[in-house]
Amino acid sequence: MCGIVGYAGEEEAAPLLLNGLRRLEYRGYDSAGLAVHTGFGIELRKCAGRVDNLARVLDDEPVLGTTGIAHTRWATHGAPTRVNAHPHTDCRGELALVHNGVIENCGVLRTKLSELGHRFTTDTDTEVLAHLIEETFEGSLERAVAAMLTQVEGTLGIAVIGVADPTRIVVARRGAPLLLGIGENGEQATWMASDVAAILGHTRQVVYLDDDEIAVLTPDGYETSDLGSRLGRAGREPIRKEISHIDWDIETIEREGYPHFMLREIHEQPNTVRDATRGRLLEAEGTARLGGMDELESEISRTERIVLTGCGTSWHAALAGEYLIEEVARIPVEVEYASEFRYRNPIIAPGTLVGGISQSGETADTLAAVREAKRLGAPTFGIVNVVGSAIARETAAGVYVHAGPEIGVASTKAFLAQITSLALLGLMIARRRGLGREEGRRFVRAIRGLPALIEEVLESETHIRRVAEEFADARNFLYLGRGPNFPIALEGALKLKEISYIHAEGYPAAEMKHGPIALIDEEMPVVFIAPRDSVYSKVLLNIEEVKARGGRVIALVTDRDRDLAPKVDHLIPVPETLPLLQPIVNVVPLQLLAYHIAVLRGCDVDRPRNLAKTVTVE
């Protein structure tokens, strides 16, 4: 969940590393640090807090050298202090190491190393790795890193530099994302990072490492091999890796005049839906084409049950997908928390298809759930945003949602792209299972119309901000919806709690009277998602129940429905589409509501406290 970047080249490393950390700060911002080989030794600069704090440290204490590694932290072991900030070193200060991930057996290893005389100075699990490398070092840093990997349990993406070689970085991956960047146009430089955003301003040519692969970087290039070859096993050869080209540019991840990345990404959502559907909708046939699912064509035709799994916002997207796919394709869909799936001995009967949903494609729990499904014999697919990510490589097939880089920690446009992709998947399966062509064509036309409807919602931002002004001081919120809008109630509540730190809960509207109604009073705002659909009359009853107890009601309604105005405190109208696609429109005003409440409360909406964008630990 941390961000790491490394550089071996001919330019001064510290400014390049600092810039890379700024582009990675959405992955962690508790503390930051870097280590640079000066040609005479390794010097560290570290601090608690944001990357800007590290920049001030470097202004006061510059460090010169052309090889270095850097880190921005999301704390798991140990408080976010300068001492616990990465990089970490060994007892003699002859190596420095940065790490993304969690070492699960760090306690046992720490005790063992302490008995061998190693002195620990931090509370982190990462420091164990530095001392393990020191303990096994016999002249080759690469072999010491490989030996260390055989002793640790958990997830890691690491980069290590040693005093003995001022131009070399050794990196290794197990479970946490790691990629290499190749110098272009004759540049003598090689990069490594946990996210391509860190190096995109310097190269578009990248190599993605797989688990238990080790790479050695120098200004002249890189060599990759697996763990066995680094340990010297006979017959193992270096690995030839495929080079990927990144087709988006640095401007894509800038704010472009918006005060926050999150607001920019909310406003990008009309294009997000266009990009997720581009080339995939076949109106004449009334279906969708998902080339990434071709490998599972026969399994899709025979499937009797689909299991979708994810975490957080991706889990909410899976719930929305459950309503969509079951309704249009008439096939059972179950949604599982990825973090629970592999621990409860799941039943995977023949004919079950398992899909993992993750924006980053690196979410540790979702990746583990996919692997468990594969172990149990299920065909698997991924719905991810990041090309070349672990889930994309692990699954037999899948759908890239094409949302582009999402920097705001609280997901917005990726969520819309996930639901849209699930709608395409449901349509494709439905047409193969008997949905009529005319019904399919109606569905296609409705999907094509979504970007214009989202643009209409965005035009009402001023009104939504006025609603936010009234409720910015609330301490609790309740979000209620029914049918396919129930997952949107969950997502609306999650957005609010993530970025404004207001306690918020989402419920099926009918469940309110089975507990949450006890909380209703004049201090409790309740957001109802109330489009005029098949359960509209039932939602009206729930609104009456809230108003009878003094609750304040914000009602999100379809734009032709003004009947509720006398009964609620605020109306937020949205344009109407097919009921199964209405959630894609309805979530946008809830994102804006959460955003403006958070801004009014003075919160850092792009980097909410305690959260990280890519959760690569359990």
Side-chain angles (χ1 to χ4, degrees):
M1 297 169 68
C2 307
I4 59 178
V5 60
Y7 171 79
E10 297 179 322
E11 299 183 42
E12 289 296 331
L16 299 174
L17 295 173
L18 193 66
N19 188 56
L21 287 186
R22 285 195 169 102
R23 300 195 182 282
L24 291 176
E25 197 167 15
Y26 69 95
R27 297 179 65 100
Y29 33 86
D30 293 335
S31 57
L34 56 76
V36 173
H37 203 303
T38 65
F40 304 98
I42 297 172
E43 290 195 21
L44 276 65
R45 301 289 186 269
K46 307 198 296 184
C47 68
R50 300 290 176 84
V51 173
D52 283 346
N53 294 352
L54 180 61
R56 288 189 282 271
V57 170
L58 288 167
D59 286 341
D60 295 336
E61 301 177 71
V63 56
L64 303 179
T66 59
T67 301
I69 55 178
H71 186 276
T72 180
R73 183 173 184 238
W74 187 89
T76 56
H77 292 69
T81 62
R82 180 188 176 281
V83 170
N84 288 332
H86 297 214
H88 294 302
T89 65
D90 61 332
C91 294
R92 297 188 292 270
E94 294 186 351
L95 66 87
L97 177 148
V98 292
H99 167 223
N100 174 26
V102 168
I103 306 306
E104 295 176 358
N105 61 336
C106 67
V108 173
L109 293 172
R110 193 181 185 105
T111 299
K112 174 184 174 182
L113 288 163
S114 296
E115 291 171 350
L116 293 171
H118 290 263
R119 302 182 306 278
F120 287 83
T121 60
T122 79
D123 301 319
T124 69
D125 56 339
T126 298
E127 191 182 2
V128 165
L129 304 180
H131 290 286
L132 274 176
I133 294 170
E134 177 186 26
E135 183 66 27
T136 57
F137 184 80
E138 295 178 350
S140 168
L141 185 58
E142 306 96 274
R143 288 175 63 87
V145 169
M148 174 271 291
L149 286 172
T150 65
Q151 300 180 62
V152 299
E153 299 171 5
T155 58
L156 57 84
I158 61 167
V160 192
I161 58 176
V163 167
D165 196 333
T167 63
R168 178 176 293 196
I169 304 173
V170 178
V171 304
R173 171 194 167 131
R174 178 182 292 160
L178 207 63
L179 58 90
L180 313 180
I182 304 164
E184 296 180 329
N185 303 318
E187 181 187 16
Q188 294 289 105
T190 310
W191 297 80
M192 60 75 55
S194 53
D195 190 312
V196 71
I199 63 175
L200 190 58
H202 305 278
T203 180
R204 293 172 179 269
Q205 306 296 319
V206 301
V207 169
Y208 294 96
L209 294 188
D210 291 309
D211 283 353
D212 285 327
E213 289 184 349
I214 298 173
V216 179
L217 283 61
T218 68
D220 297 322
Y222 66 95
E223 294 180 355
T224 55
S225 60
D226 65 12
L227 177 59
S229 59
R230 283 298 174 197
L231 290 172
R233 295 175 187 164
R236 305 302 288 271
E237 296 294 330
I239 301 170
R240 295 181 64 86
K241 302 291 291 184
E242 179 182 353
I243 297 174
S244 300
H245 179 79
I246 304 302
D247 58 5
W248 43 274
D249 53 34
I250 199 67
E251 287 76 19
T252 308
I253 57 174
E254 299 294 350
R255 292 202 300 262
E256 292 188 352
Y258 288 94
H260 300 94
F261 283 113
M262 183 179 180
L263 186 61
R264 176 192 164 174
E265 287 157 4
I266 290 172
H267 278 264
E268 286 177 338
Q269 289 178 125
N271 283 332
T272 297
V273 175
R274 291 186 184 102
D275 291 341
T277 60
R278 183 172 287 117
R280 291 172 166 174
L281 289 171
L282 306 176
E283 185 170 350
E285 291 84 5
T287 190
R289 176 179 55 209
L290 297 171
M293 296 295 290
D294 287 349
E295 292 295 321
L296 292 182
E297 185 171 357
S298 60
E299 286 85 354
I300 290 172
S301 299
R302 297 193 304 266
T303 190
E304 298 177 1
R305 172 175 170 255
I306 296 174
V307 175
L308 299 175
T309 184
C311 300
T313 286
S314 294
W315 186 77
H316 296 161
L319 283 177
E322 177 183 15
Y323 283 95
L324 273 161
I325 296 170
E326 285 195 343
E327 181 68 24
V328 298
R330 307 309 299 160
I331 184 171
V333 178
E334 295 180 21
V335 176
E336 296 270 1
Y337 281 110
S339 55
E340 295 292 326
F341 181 78
R342 66 171 167 150
Y343 293 112
R344 67 175 197 83
N345 193 20
I347 299 172
I348 302 295
T352 300
L353 194 62
V354 178
I357 306 176
S358 165
Q359 187 283 133
S360 67
E362 304 285 351
T363 308
D365 287 319
T366 308
L367 180 59
V370 166
R371 287 173 172 166
E372 176 67 7
K374 287 177 64 177
R375 186 187 71 82
L376 295 172
T380 59
F381 65 93
I383 295 179
V384 301
N385 188 32
V386 180
V387 175
S389 56
I391 291 173
R393 298 196 305 274
E394 189 78 28
T395 49
V399 181
Y400 285 118
V401 302
H402 298 306
E406 187 179 63
I407 305 303
V409 169
S411 181
T412 51
K413 65 176 183 174
F415 175 70
L416 238 65
Q418 288 170 344
I419 301 179
T420 302
S421 298
L422 286 163
L424 299 181
L425 178 62
L427 175 61
M428 183 187 76
I429 296 173
R431 286 288 283 125
R432 295 181 183 186
R433 298 174 69 90
L435 182 73
R437 185 173 67 172
E438 286 307 313
E439 291 178 87
R441 293 178 68 182
R442 180 167 170 258
F443 204 75
V444 168
R445 288 193 295 270
I447 293 174
R448 282 213 166 114
L450 288 172
L453 303 186
I454 296 168
E455 286 167 351
E456 284 188 44
V457 173
L458 294 172
E459 290 171 0
S460 67
E461 183 175 359
T462 301
H463 169 64
I464 294 169
R465 190 184 190 282
R466 286 197 293 267
V467 176
E469 290 171 351
E470 183 171 333
F471 296 99
D473 293 330
R475 299 179 62 185
N476 300 281
F477 260 81
L478 192 60
Y479 286 71
L480 300 174
R482 297 193 71 156
N485 287 296
F486 160 55
I488 303 309
L490 293 175
E491 178 62 13
L494 178 62
K495 283 291 141 309
L496 187 69
K497 73 179 81 172
E498 281 181 321
I499 64 173
S500 74
Y501 318 137
I502 295 173
H503 174 254
E505 296 295 335
Y507 266 86
E511 288 295 305
M512 177 190 64
K513 55 185 171 290
H514 298 290
I517 198 169
L519 301 173
I520 302 296
D521 60 19
E522 63 277 1
E523 300 298 322
M524 170 70 85
V526 182
V527 178
F528 277 93
I529 305 167
R532 194 176 281 273
D533 56 16
S534 62
V535 291
Y536 177 74
S537 61
K538 304 296 185 184
V539 176
L540 290 184
L541 293 175
N542 299 136
I543 291 174
E544 295 284 4
E545 290 165 349
V546 169
K547 292 303 293 181
R549 288 155 181 83
R552 294 186 289 169
V553 172
I554 303 166
L556 193 154
V557 299
T558 41
D559 51 12
R560 64 186 173 91
D561 183 7
R562 305 290 172 153
D563 297 343
L564 276 179
K567 301 179 180 180
V568 303
D569 298 89
H570 293 279
L571 281 183
I572 299 178
V574 296
E576 189 172 6
T577 184
L578 296 181
L580 286 174
L581 299 176
Q582 192 69 50
I584 295 174
V585 179
N586 290 348
V587 74
V588 178
L590 301 186
Q591 295 168 346
L592 287 170
L593 181 66
Y595 169 81
H596 283 293
I597 287 175
V599 170
L600 290 164
R601 290 168 67 89
C603 301
D604 186 343
V605 296
D606 284 336
R607 303 181 184 96
R609 67 189 183 202
N610 304 332
L611 297 179
K613 185 67 178 175
T614 305
V615 184
T616 55
V617 299
E618 288 193 61

